[in-house]
Amino acid sequence: MLFVSDGRYKDQSADQLAAAGVPARIEISGTEQKRIVHDAAAARGHGRVGLEAHGVTWSQQRSFASEWFPGAELVPTENLVEELRRVKDAGEVARIRAACSIGDAAFANVNPPAAGPAHRGGVRPGPGVRDAPPRGVGHELRAHRGCRAQRRQAPRPSSERRIEPGELLVLDFGCIVDGYCSDMTRTVSVGDPGSEARRMYDVVLESQRAGREVVRPGVEAAAVDKACRDVIAEAGWADAFLHGTGHGVGLEIHEDPRVSATGRGTLATGYVVTVEPGVYLTGIGGVRIEDTVVVTPGGCDILTASPKDLVL
């Protein structure tokens, strides 16, 4: 394998390729990248070169054809790497598990019951939704969809508006460790959100449990979605489940397989996916609960361990 980059990534590329156990020749250059790649392809007699169809623009393809690989046949490829990335090896799962653990620690920092009696911060009435950042954790933490689910509206992106007592808050976030992502959503309320909101929460929690229990090798991705959707439909809220049930997690926060009604293919050991049903009702708010799980020979292991208590 030949890895070509510029000086900005000299140390990073060496460290990450070594950590991943990938044997590679690393070439660092700011001006000679084209020549290095061209000479390497010519030396190996590569008459056909694959370009990722979804990642290479028409302009780039023309440049590759005329300047980088003149005389070679350029062919479009689709999902060659992505198909390989579906199944995670033990090292990849360990990195995702570590990312999930840091996400759990971040959630404990804003969730007093999870943090224990020594906790001094947390989500509480008054601060803006952005005013409760995680503290004391390392690596890269990202809010994927930090949302506020107002009583009269479905969830909207986080804002500076102050949190109100009894308001539903949808917290969707994750961490990146050595390039590998985690993803978790918890819905909480600072105080009692009311009987209808509590019923919504109970239904979504049961839906999420039903979906997790279906996850195992050989099960169609669409079957996991159906298991979640059936519980919500039975409660009368089929039209309020507005998105797919989940997605793969790895080097990208959203990658194959897609766990949805239109998702194709079956799950296999080593897949890492999310299960995240939700219900969103105007006038009450929204509830979503999400775990990241890894498919095992006997079912799945839950990698996100944060409690699922509605009222803080």
Side-chain angles (χ1 to χ4, degrees):
M1 176 179 175
L2 173 64
F3 185 93
V4 181
S5 184
D6 61 43
R8 293 173 297 171
Y9 306 105
K10 178 180 178 181
D11 295 334
Q12 180 180 346
S13 59
D15 291 345
Q16 291 186 346
L17 287 168
V22 177
R25 173 181 140 216
I26 301 174
E27 292 282 355
I28 302 297
S29 175
T31 59
E32 298 294 318
Q33 294 182 15
K34 188 184 304 182
R35 179 191 59 77
I36 293 169
V37 173
H38 175 271
D39 291 352
R44 290 168 173 78
H46 293 329
R48 299 179 77 235
V49 177
L51 302 177
E52 293 184 319
H54 67 282
V56 177
T57 66
W58 175 244
S59 175
Q60 289 171 328
Q61 188 275 339
R62 295 178 66 187
S63 175
F64 285 135
S66 62
E67 301 173 21
W68 292 67
F69 307 106
E73 179 187 4
L74 302 185
V75 295
T77 67
E78 293 190 19
N79 297 321
L80 293 182
V81 175
E82 288 77 7
E83 285 296 321
L84 295 175
R85 281 170 46 184
R86 284 175 177 248
V87 176
K88 274 66 177 180
D89 63 25
E92 291 177 300
V93 173
R95 289 170 174 82
I96 297 171
R97 190 185 299 273
C100 289
S101 294
I102 293 170
D104 287 332
F107 181 69
N109 202 51
V110 297
N111 180 0
H119 183 74
R120 293 291 183 271
V123 175
R124 57 197 181 278
V129 175
R130 292 177 180 170
D131 292 340
R135 299 177 296 278
V137 295
H139 303 281
E140 182 178 353
L141 188 70
R142 294 182 177 180
H144 304 314
R145 298 181 201 84
C147 293
R148 54 184 173 89
Q150 291 178 261
R151 287 184 179 278
R152 300 180 184 279
Q153 301 173 4
R156 296 187 175 187
S158 59
S159 72
E160 302 301 330
R161 190 186 56 75
R162 299 173 72 84
I163 298 169
E164 298 176 5
E167 182 175 40
L168 292 172
L169 300 173
V170 179
L171 309 176
D172 188 343
F173 58 96
C175 181
I176 301 175
V177 172
D178 292 341
Y180 285 85
C181 303
S182 71
D183 197 4
M184 179 174 72
T185 303
R186 295 293 185 263
T187 299
V188 298
S189 173
V190 185
D192 187 355
S195 60
E196 192 70 356
R198 290 197 305 271
R199 177 172 174 255
M200 285 173 57
Y201 189 87
D202 290 342
V203 168
V204 173
L205 185 64
E206 173 59 22
S207 169
Q208 208 255 354
R209 182 198 62 78
R212 288 200 329 263
E213 290 186 352
V214 172
V215 174
R216 64 186 60 252
V219 169
E220 293 184 358
V224 180
D225 181 90
K226 184 177 186 302
C228 291
R229 213 165 285 278
D230 284 351
V231 173
I232 291 174
E234 186 176 350
W237 290 324
D239 293 339
F241 186 176
L242 306 175
H243 51 75
T245 288
H247 52 84
V249 175
L251 291 172
E252 297 180 59
I253 190 58
H254 295 106
E255 60 182 45
D256 290 335
R258 305 296 166 174
V259 182
S260 66
T262 58
R264 289 181 277 183
T266 59
L267 303 180
T269 299
Y271 280 25
V272 176
V273 298
T274 66
V275 181
E276 50 180 302
V279 170
Y280 312 92
L281 300 177
T282 300
I284 299 175
V287 173
R288 184 168 66 253
I289 301 171
E290 173 188 24
D291 284 315
T292 298
V293 305
V294 56
V295 182
T296 63
C300 72
D301 285 344
I302 304 172
L303 302 181
T304 40
S306 293
K308 297 168 183 168
D309 301 315
L310 171 59
V311 179
L312 298 184

